[in-house]
Amino acid sequence: MANVVRVYLEDFGFRELDIASKLLAAVAKYGYPKDFSDVGISLGFNTNSGYVFLTNDDYQVLLLENNKLTIIENDLEEVA
């Protein structure tokens, strides 16, 4: 075992764990959408909005909305 990957879930409640499991199950079944980069993917949870999502090194966000994987693009130039 060369590498161990850890995800810290202490801030996730049962609701968020349920959403995360459905999101990961959808990715396992269908794969990542073709426009979603698979580099540096991590699981996230916004404690203000309640959203559970996957994010990557390109700052894309992948959500499960109405049982469909949905990509949210972040335009960092608008923020800067």
Side-chain angles (χ1 to χ4, degrees), residues 5-66:
V5 177
R6 291 184 176 199
V7 177
Y8 297 97
L9 301 173
E10 62 267 7
D11 291 332
F12 285 61
F14 293 120
R15 173 193 168 274
E16 291 79 26
L17 290 172
D18 182 53
I19 294 169
S21 71
K22 290 174 182 172
L23 173 60
L24 294 171
V27 170
K29 184 173 183 176
Y30 302 110
Y32 296 110
K34 70 177 185 100
D35 294 334
F36 188 77
S37 171
D38 63 356
V39 177
I41 296 174
S42 62
L43 181 64
F45 165 45
N46 183 317
T47 57
N48 292 317
S49 67
Y51 285 117
V52 176
F53 53 89
L54 295 176
T55 188
N56 61 25
D57 284 352
D58 292 332
Y59 303 103
Q60 293 174 300
V61 172
L62 186 64
L63 298 168
L64 189 63
E65 294 186 326
N66 299 318

